[in-house]
Amino acid sequence: MSKRIVVTAGEPAGVGPDLVLALANLSSNHQFVVCADKQMLAERAKHLGIDVTLVDYDASISSAPHSKGTLVVEHVAMAEPCVIGELNEANGHYVLKTLERAAQGCLSGEFAAIVTGPVHKGVINRAGVAFSGHTEFFAEQSNTPLVVMMLATEGLKVALVTTHIPLAYVSKAVTEERLTSIMQILHQDMVSKFALPNPKIYVCGLNPHAGEDGCLGTEEIETIAPTLEKLRAEGMNITGPLPADTIFNQKYLDDADVILGMYHDQVLPVLKYKGFGNSVNITLGLPFIRTSVDHGTALDLAGTGQVDSGSFQTALSHAIELVEKKQ
């Protein structure tokens, strides 16, 4: 059965429009609906020499498979015309409107998933909106108290207990309450969204050598290990805490369905080394499916025709896979 997947083009001056226009070269059993300014897409397509027919989105018409050469567009008007490669804070609210339209469509059941192109946090903040990222925005839109950031590439999935906070704050943020909630969301979504009945979750310690029996830190002894033990008693399949410098050993990777890190730069450098350009950001805990590219707006590459669409293709493929598993 054909489902609708909404795709947001992100920052108009960046590579997001280039990426979504590449959808014109694809065919799919599902319908892709691009949420963006239609005129901006038409101008970018002309600039890139892409032959595409832009079709106005009509929610009253049943979802139809996506066909090559066309792009269905849910038009959201920009405040000012876009200059490729040049940020314009006047369009900061436009970017948020595309995200809000996509989120509300998913919450109503109109769309089955969201795939997001890259946004520029700074220009949105300069537009007068406190914006820390897609993840937090979608959590607020859906009244979700806590979400989990996961990144995936071929052969590796990692998730995070803490995300975009200074390293100095991490230790205090890794509490029994937070770790329990993160683990519950991670386990539940691995079951419900990834169709794994008994997901194997490997967990990093916080300190070097996972604290080395308290010699290099006590968070593992006082918080992490006791919390994981309680969750094992509830039936979760958990290994750890293990040292982060050995958890990526192949013997563990072959067994783990996902690895949970305590902080951003503990696990993401490994993920990006293994699959940069072909990895995807997946937000767990939301009441809908959301995937995203793993890179930024790349203003210097916008409009050049030299954009690597690998991460976007991976994000789209994962969204389709998750939609079909949900069916």
Side-chain angles (χ1 to χ4, degrees):
M1 180 180 176
S2 178
K3 297 286 187 177
R4 284 194 176 110
I5 296 174
V6 62
V7 183
T8 58
E11 168 54 49
V15 297
D18 305 41
L19 294 173
V20 300
L21 284 167
L23 292 172
N25 296 321
L26 304 178
S27 58
S28 174
N29 292 330
H30 303 288
Q31 184 179 52
F32 306 137
V33 178
V34 176
C35 199
D37 185 290
K38 187 178 178 182
Q39 182 60 33
M40 180 271 294
L41 290 178
E43 291 174 359
R44 188 69 59 90
K46 182 179 180 180
H47 177 84
L48 291 168
I50 297 175
D51 186 15
V52 59
T53 301
L54 302 180
V55 180
D56 291 327
Y57 171 61
D58 187 345
S60 67
I61 299 175
S62 298
S63 175
H66 175 76
S67 57
K68 287 184 178 181
T70 64
L71 212 56
V72 176
V73 180
E74 171 70 331
H75 174 66
V76 178
M78 293 192 306
E80 294 184 3
C82 169
V83 177
I84 297 173
E86 296 184 16
L87 295 172
N88 183 349
E89 62 190 49
N91 287 322
H93 288 279
Y94 152 77
V95 174
L96 292 182
K97 286 178 182 177
T98 65
L99 300 182
E100 182 177 4
R101 173 66 181 93
Q104 293 304 314
C106 275
L107 289 169
S108 69
E110 180 183 357
F111 304 128
I114 300 174
V115 178
T116 54
V119 300
H120 194 285
K121 298 182 182 71
V123 76
I124 296 174
N125 279 276
R126 289 197 294 274
V129 181
F131 179 82
S132 57
H134 281 110
T135 301
E136 295 81 2
F137 181 84
F138 288 141
E140 182 178 350
Q141 286 286 308
S142 60
N143 293 316
T144 303
L146 183 64
V147 292
V148 176
M149 181 178 177
M150 170 187 279
L151 276 88
T153 191
E154 183 68 30
L156 178 63
K157 293 183 179 69
V158 300
L160 300 172
V161 175
T162 65
T163 53
H164 301 122
I165 64 172
L167 192 58
Y169 301 164
V170 169
S171 178
K172 291 182 180 179
V174 179
T175 62
E176 177 181 354
E177 180 182 13
R178 182 174 182 85
L179 182 54
T180 298
S181 297
I182 294 288
M183 286 290 296
Q184 289 172 339
I185 292 170
L186 180 58
H187 174 84
Q188 180 180 329
D189 273 24
M190 293 299 287
V191 173
S192 63
K193 292 180 179 176
F194 288 87
L196 295 170
N198 186 32
K200 299 176 182 178
I201 304 173
Y202 276 60
V203 181
C204 297
L206 173 65
N207 296 293
H209 302 179
E212 204 162 283
D213 297 324
C215 296
L216 299 176
T218 59
E219 287 87 354
E220 287 79 10
I221 293 173
E222 295 173 354
T223 304
I224 300 173
T227 302
L228 298 184
E229 196 57 40
K230 289 179 182 178
L231 294 170
R232 285 190 194 95
E234 295 176 7
M236 290 191 196
N237 190 347
I238 302 169
T239 300
L242 295 176
D245 64 346
T246 58
I247 201 169
F248 293 100
N249 186 296
Q250 197 60 47
K251 70 175 182 178
Y252 296 141
L253 296 183
D254 289 342
D255 189 56
D257 291 312
V258 61
I259 291 175
L260 180 67
M262 293 295 127
Y263 57 93
H264 189 279
D265 283 10
Q266 185 179 45
V267 293
L268 293 195
V270 180
L271 184 285
K272 294 196 174 186
Y273 175 78
K274 182 176 175 62
F276 190 78
N278 289 289
S279 58
V280 56
N281 187 337
I282 305 169
T283 306
L284 305 181
L286 293 172
F288 50 80
I289 295 164
R290 181 258 169 162
T291 68
S292 179
V293 295
D294 70 346
H295 57 74
T297 52
L299 296 170
D300 57 324
L301 294 176
T304 65
Q306 303 300 313
V307 177
D308 183 350
S309 63
S311 180
F312 180 74
Q313 300 287 351
T314 303
L316 188 65
S317 296
H318 273 76
I320 292 170
E321 180 183 351
L322 294 174
V323 165
E324 291 179 346
K325 283 181 177 177
K326 192 174 181 179
Q327 290 185 41

